[in-house]
Amino acid sequence: MIQTNKLMKVYRTEEVETTALNEVSVEIKAGEFVSIMGPSGCGKSTLLNILGLIDNPSGGEYHFLDNEVSKFSERQRSQLRKNNIGFIFQSFNLIDELTVFENVELPLIYTKVSSSDRKKRVDEVLDKMNMMHRRNHFPQQLSGGQQQRVAVARAIVNNPKLILADEPTGNLDSANGDDVMKNLVHLNNEGATIIMVTHSQYCAEFGNRIIRLLDGQVVTESMVAKQML
């Protein structure tokens, strides 16, 4: 599904040049659950943004679903992204002015799904996340764990081939964090490919492979015995 070859990301100002990714080559197969670990500033989120087609690399190649996308325009990236990738963020990134239902519905509006089909799919995914009873509430009326369940629902409502999770348990207590990890494992078991950035060794071991970054480079890759809840 994903293959990068000597991926580079360099940020330049008039005075400073910072290498965020330095010749990163990774391969991720469909159906894998891969955890990316490393200290702050090592390039984890930069790599996730490039894999998620939010940003372009400065050099190297990125193959996603048989497309070489490293030189894609923003419009091309957007088209490929909205049809194939779901995002889960540490800070939830819900829109305060929209209800739970409307937040989850947004990706379906972007992909021009009909109104009747949108209602059916949003209700199905809210039921799956045990959030139907909160469908007309606003984000600020929810606990952190509930907000993250809504964020997961929004990420999967379009049935994406790839789910990218950036510190999905970072703002949650251990019980709600376990709940999110349980949902991610369930989605992976249903066939979704998951790439998760985390500082937590405990969370990382819910995947089947851990990639460790340091100073913008891959330093180790290891298979793990999958953690169970």
Side-chain angles (χ1 to χ4, degrees):
M1 173 180 271
I2 284 174
Q3 186 171 20
T4 71
N5 181 32
K6 296 186 175 180
L7 210 61
M8 299 285 299
K9 185 62 180 181
V10 180
Y11 295 101
R12 294 183 177 90
T13 67
E14 290 183 2
E15 300 174 351
V16 180
E17 180 175 289
T18 304
T19 300
L21 295 177
N22 188 5
E23 297 194 349
V24 171
S25 297
V26 296
E27 183 174 357
I28 296 168
K29 294 181 171 60
E32 278 198 281
F33 186 154
V34 176
S35 302
I36 300 176
M37 299 192 72
S40 296
C42 72
K44 302 185 301 296
S45 293
T46 300
L47 178 59
L48 206 68
N49 285 341
I50 291 174
L51 296 182
L53 303 173
I54 293 172
D55 199 1
N56 266 348
S58 306
E61 298 177 352
Y62 173 27
H63 296 265
F64 176 60
L65 297 176
D66 299 321
N67 297 286
E68 209 295 290
V69 300
S70 62
K71 304 290 193 301
F72 269 27
S73 67
E74 169 53 33
R75 183 170 183 174
Q76 290 173 306
R77 292 201 312 271
S78 175
Q79 194 63 33
L80 194 58
R81 182 174 64 236
K82 69 184 181 182
N83 289 312
N84 295 288
I85 303 175
F87 294 89
I88 304 168
F89 302 96
Q90 177 178 350
S91 56
F92 317 135
N93 284 12
L94 301 177
I95 298 173
D96 290 340
E97 295 76 22
L98 299 182
T99 64
V100 164
F101 182 94
E102 290 165 340
N103 267 281
V104 176
E105 183 186 31
L106 267 182
L108 300 176
I109 293 173
Y110 293 149
T111 50
K112 297 181 169 55
V113 174
S114 70
S115 176
S116 59
D117 198 20
R118 289 201 307 269
K119 182 181 185 307
K120 177 173 178 290
R121 286 163 67 173
V122 173
D123 283 349
E124 284 175 354
V125 79
L126 287 177
D127 186 53
K128 189 176 190 176
M129 291 292 116
N130 297 314
M131 288 301 293
M132 272 295 284
H133 64 299
R134 297 286 194 180
R135 71 196 300 275
N136 294 319
H137 286 68
F138 292 91
Q140 297 306 313
Q141 297 173 299
L142 308 178
S143 69
Q146 289 172 331
Q147 288 187 59
Q148 192 61 297
R149 288 212 297 275
V150 176
V152 172
R154 181 184 58 190
I156 66 174
V157 72
N158 248 341
N159 299 314
K161 297 179 177 67
L162 174 65
I163 296 171
L164 300 179
D166 194 354
E167 298 283 3
T169 64
N171 284 338
L172 303 176
D173 59 33
S174 58
N176 282 309
D178 280 350
D179 190 39
V180 168
M181 294 313 304
K182 189 185 300 181
N183 285 323
L184 290 178
V185 169
H186 181 66
L187 293 168
N188 180 239
N189 290 339
E190 288 185 333
T193 304
I194 297 176
I195 303 173
M196 177 180 67
V197 161
T198 182
H199 279 103
S200 166
Q201 182 70 31
Y202 170 75
C203 290
E205 290 178 1
F206 284 96
N208 46 35
R209 184 155 58 106
I210 298 175
I211 296 173
R212 294 183 187 273
L213 297 182
L214 182 65
D215 297 333
Q217 295 180 300
V218 175
V219 288
T220 63
E221 289 191 49
S222 58
M223 305 299 291
V224 292
K226 210 165 188 177
Q227 179 96 257
M228 301 297 290
L229 279 170

